[in-house]
């Protein structure tokens, strides 16, 4: 038995408008509706939405997600194409992660300097901007 959008929203921790947006963009093509036109969410739908949201949080464009959904609907023969899309995106994520790691290290270094400044343990000539 399916659940309502309100229940899906609560279960997923996403606002209903995000779920509606995913459907409007064609990212939930198998979503069922009841006799009144209300969306009915099954466990597979919740899993799909969770996966979509994970990809969106990392910055994967909706157009790419739509391409992946369309390929999925065409069947298993498109698995190589879907895998290629994700491999390319994984490379992008790796580059982003490396940039974030560098930024994280710089923030930590700067916080260490602030700690030393607050403790009066840093000589004036060692001070840097910001």
């Amino acid at each position: 038995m399916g659940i309502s959008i309100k229940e899906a929203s609560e279960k997923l921790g996403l606002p209903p408008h995000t779920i509606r947006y995913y459907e409007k963009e064609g990212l939930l093509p198998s979503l069922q509706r009841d006799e009144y036109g209300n969306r009915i969410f099954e466990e597979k739908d919740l899993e799909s939405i969770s996966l979509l949201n994970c990809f969106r949080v990392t910055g994967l464009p909706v157009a790419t997600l739509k391409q992946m959904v369309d390929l999925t609907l065409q069947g298993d023969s498109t698995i190589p194409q879907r895998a290629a899309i994700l491999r390319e995106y994984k490379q992008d994520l790796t580059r982003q992660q490396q940039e974030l790691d560098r930024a994280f290290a710089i923030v930590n270094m700067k916080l260490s300097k602030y700690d030393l400044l607050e403790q009066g343990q840093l000589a004036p000539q060692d001070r840097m901007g910001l």
Side-chain angles (χ1 to χ4, degrees), residues 72-100:
T72 300
L73 292 173
Q74 293 174 35
D76 288 350
S77 65
T78 65
I79 288 173
Q81 292 164 276
R82 290 182 269 159
I85 291 167
L86 285 183
R87 281 189 193 96
E88 183 178 330
Y89 190 61
K90 183 180 175 184
Q91 289 176 342
D92 291 343
L93 285 177
T94 299
R95 281 190 289 277
Q96 289 176 29
Q97 183 65 51
Q98 290 168 345
E99 290 173 14
L100 287 172

Side-chain angles (χ1 to χ4, degrees), residues 102-121:
R102 281 192 295 277
F104 191 77
I106 290 168
V107 167
N108 279 335
M109 179 196 67
K110 193 64 178 173
L111 284 171
S112 294
K113 285 210 176 213
Y114 286 150
D115 289 343
L116 293 172
L117 283 168
E118 288 178 341
Q119 298 166 11
Q121 297 177 4

Side-chain angles (χ1 to χ4, degrees), residues 7-121:
E7 294 167 309
S9 170
E10 291 169 357
K11 196 168 187 176
L12 294 166
L14 292 172
H17 68 82
T18 298
I19 298 169
R20 287 187 200 101
Y21 173 74
Y22 289 160
E23 183 190 19
K24 182 179 81 80
E25 292 299 317
L27 302 177
L28 300 169
S30 63
L31 194 61
Q32 301 296 308
R33 292 183 178 261
D34 67 13
E35 64 272 14
Y36 304 105
N38 298 314
R39 296 166 184 87
I40 303 292
F41 296 87
E42 302 294 338
E43 190 60 35
K44 66 178 176 46
D45 300 315
L46 299 180
E47 290 169 9
S48 292
I49 294 166
S50 182
L51 184 61
L52 289 168
N53 196 60
C54 177
F55 284 138
R56 287 295 302 138
V57 165
T58 65
L60 190 65
V62 170
T64 303
L65 285 170
K66 178 68 171 126
Q67 181 183 12
M68 296 269 303
V69 168
D70 292 345
L71 288 168
T72 300
L73 292 173
Q74 293 174 35
D76 288 350
S77 65
T78 65
I79 288 173
Q81 292 164 276
R82 290 182 269 159
I85 291 167
L86 285 183
R87 281 189 193 96
E88 183 178 330
Y89 190 61
K90 183 180 175 184
Q91 289 176 342
D92 291 343
L93 285 177
T94 299
R95 281 190 289 277
Q96 289 176 29
Q97 183 65 51
Q98 290 168 345
E99 290 173 14
L100 287 172
D101 288 345
R102 281 192 295 277
F104 191 77
I106 290 168
V107 167
N108 279 335
M109 179 196 67
K110 193 64 178 173
L111 284 171
S112 294
K113 285 210 176 213
Y114 286 150
D115 289 343
L116 293 172
L117 283 168
E118 288 178 341
Q119 298 166 11
Q121 297 177 4

